[in-house]
Amino acid sequence: MGAEARFGKASVRDADVGEKCVLVREDLNVPLEEGKVADDSRIRAALPTLELLRERGAAVIVVSHLGRPKGRDPELSMAPVAGRLGELLSVDVPVAPGVVGDEVEAMTGELKPGEVLMLENSRYEPGETENDPELSKQLAALADLFVHDAFGASHRAHATTEGVAHELHTYAGLLMERELVELSAVRDHPEPPLIVVLGGAKVTDKIGAIERFLRTADEILVGGAMAFSFFKAEGRDTGNSLVEEEGVEKAREALEKAEGEDCLLELPEDLVLGREFDANTERKELNGVDVPEGWMGLDIGSNTAADYSKRVARAGTVFWNGPMGAFELEPFAQGTRTVGEAVASAPGRTVVGGGDSAAALVEFGLDDEVDWLSTGGGASLEFMEGKELPGVAVLPDA
Ligand code: ADP
Ligand code: MG
């Protein structure tokens, strides 16, 4: 079934935008290194909506947050992001001197069809995170209609992700649409069997998703530091492994719940250990999961990686969130690489969410091999839990 078929929200595809001034919320919260964009994935993901609007003769005002500035902070100016966007769109993208106000209004008033202007970092305005109606009104005054394309920021009720949608005719952008279609397919009507691979640092970030998937998935395969909260809950030795203490009780509850469900909750059967979190540390493989004193588990072992890969290959649908180990350290990247390769070559539908999981796929050159790589880390997890995202709830029905 096509993407449009299941999308019940007003879409930018159907918006009359010619000669109009359109405010577009994108999630351009990209990593910067030495003042340059270090990974432009999120900028690329925004292109389809921006290109569609330009082709249809809209004047385009782009707004996003970048990092967490407390007020104006030149280090977190949108300038490098606008520069990269301009290269990708082959058009000059100037940056307004602020988010709202007279000078900004003067610039947006001059904007011609097909032109693109970037507002400054929305978090320069304290009203952004406060979802201040006054700021939303000022934003609305800049444009004729609003296109919400920032799925990755839609779990926050801020002025640019929620408030302004009450002030202008609002449409979902193409990225927002694709995210919602892909993620709801996994959450609400997955092709069985649904295999969920969960890793990463903290079990408390992911417990909501685990609880939901215990009811809907066939197997949940656990890796990453998160596994040690489960091992601790089982009374095993975890050595110096990263154990999130708050997560141990949650893990115990999840193990108990799993008893009563048809879903299999799998933990690693072997590990790769290091002395410390460092690429040059002493390394050893452990055929088992009881971590001796003086060692920490930094990756899943080869038997676990092979077993998880076999399960992923049998899936009708795969959802993967969180690396299987400390993949940034080459000696401990193999588990994540093996599972990533299995997800990439799985015949079933494959959807990946999470900033570090996405970074891992990019690093291994596998990002184009999955069916959908979500731009939303926190947002995709909250969506999977079944929580209502304020920036999605505010989208009008078609
Ligand atoms: P995502 O962003 O994909 O949701 P998380 O942010 O939850 O993933 O977790 C990613 C982090 O978890 C990475 O920085 C990785 O180094 C760390 N990590 C994974 N496994 C381990 C481990 N066994 N020990 C220490 N850190 C780990
Ligand atoms: Mg992360």
Side-chain angles (χ1 to χ4, degrees):
M1 203 179 285
E4 310 87 281
R6 280 186 185 125
F7 193 66
K9 304 287 188 182
S11 163
V12 66
R13 294 169 200 279
D14 306 318
D16 179 11
V17 301
E19 307 283 311
K20 301 257 172 68
C21 191
V22 180
L23 178 69
V24 187
R25 178 48 156 110
E26 293 289 356
D27 178 7
L28 305 178
N29 183 27
V30 295
L32 297 178
E33 267 163 33
E34 292 171 9
K36 289 218 171 76
V37 174
D39 174 359
D40 66 3
S41 310
R42 282 183 166 165
I43 306 179
R44 290 175 182 278
L47 295 177
T49 295
L50 301 178
E51 277 164 352
L52 177 88
L53 289 169
R54 292 187 64 221
E55 274 162 25
R56 293 193 181 171
V60 181
I61 307 170
V62 183
V63 63
S64 174
H65 75 291
L66 179 63
R68 298 177 170 206
K70 301 267 172 285
R72 242 180 197 283
D73 174 357
E75 302 251 307
L76 290 170
S77 163
M78 295 306 292
V81 180
R84 184 72 190 117
L85 177 62
E87 285 169 16
L88 292 167
L89 286 174
S90 305
V91 66
D92 191 32
V93 179
V95 183
V99 184
V100 289
D102 293 344
E103 273 182 90
V104 178
E105 273 182 47
M107 280 179 92
T108 59
E110 301 268 290
L111 215 56
K112 309 231 166 15
E115 291 185 343
V116 183
L117 173 73
M118 176 100 64
L119 300 183
E120 255 307 356
N121 190 337
S122 61
R123 292 204 189 170
Y124 280 8
E125 287 290 330
E128 164 72 329
T129 53
E130 293 158 10
N131 199 3
D132 176 12
E134 202 43 53
L135 176 59
S136 296
K137 287 198 174 76
Q138 285 180 284
L139 284 160
L142 302 175
D144 302 310
L145 47 96
F146 178 54
V147 170
H148 196 346
D149 207 26
F151 174 76
S154 65
H155 55 319
R156 309 265 182 251
H158 292 170
T160 61
T161 62
E162 204 272 346
V164 70
H166 295 289
E167 306 293 336
L168 283 172
H169 266 297
T170 293
Y171 300 87
L174 299 178
L175 176 61
M176 174 72 87
E177 173 172 347
R178 182 84 194 267
E179 290 275 9
L180 293 174
V181 167
E182 294 288 348
L183 296 174
S184 40
V186 172
R187 189 188 67 180
D188 304 330
H189 37 83
E191 178 68 30
L194 170 59
I195 310 295
V196 176
V197 184
L198 289 177
K202 290 184 178 170
V203 74
T204 49
D205 284 350
K206 313 212 168 166
I207 195 71
I210 293 175
E211 288 181 356
R212 166 113 192 180
F213 282 127
L214 278 172
R215 285 180 271 128
T216 60
D218 295 278
E219 300 177 4
I220 301 176
L221 315 177
V222 175
M226 198 172 98
F228 297 102
S229 291
F230 285 92
F231 287 144
K232 187 119 191 213
E234 288 182 331
R236 293 179 179 279
D237 294 330
T238 54
N240 293 336
S241 305
L242 185 67
V243 177
E244 187 197 12
E245 290 298 335
E246 245 181 287
V248 177
E249 196 46 45
K250 302 272 183 205
R252 191 186 333 271
E253 287 165 22
L255 286 166
E256 269 166 30
K257 280 190 189 140
E259 296 282 316
E261 301 285 353
D262 292 331
C263 179
L264 186 76
L265 183 61
E266 276 285 288
L267 299 176
E269 59 187 273
D270 58 353
L271 296 170
V272 181
L273 311 180
R275 290 283 184 187
E276 51 194 279
F277 193 96
D278 188 309
N280 299 317
T281 189
E282 188 184 345
R283 175 188 187 276
K284 84 171 176 187
E285 291 171 19
L286 177 72
N287 188 11
V289 292
D290 290 294
V291 181
E293 273 309 306
W295 292 88
M296 53 169 63
L298 288 172
D299 195 9
I300 56 172
S302 55
N303 291 333
T304 306
D307 176 58
Y308 284 9
S309 298
K310 206 169 65 193
R311 294 171 185 279
V312 161
R314 291 198 296 252
T317 309
V318 182
F319 179 68
W320 179 27
N321 177 295
M324 296 289 97
F327 75 100
E328 305 94 324
L329 313 176
E330 183 47 38
F332 306 101
Q334 193 53 43
T336 304
R337 186 180 285 117
T338 302
V339 172
E341 282 167 355
V343 173
S345 59
R349 184 137 201 96
T350 51
V351 176
V352 180
D356 291 286
S357 328
L361 278 182
V362 170
E363 193 179 310
F364 305 146
L366 298 170
D367 48 319
D368 288 335
E369 309 293 318
V370 297
D371 290 306
W372 184 243
L373 185 53
S374 176
T375 51
S380 69
L381 274 178
E382 289 193 23
F383 186 85
M384 285 304 173
E385 284 174 38
K387 281 193 189 160
E388 186 178 78
L389 311 184
V392 173
V394 78
L395 297 172
D397 291 333

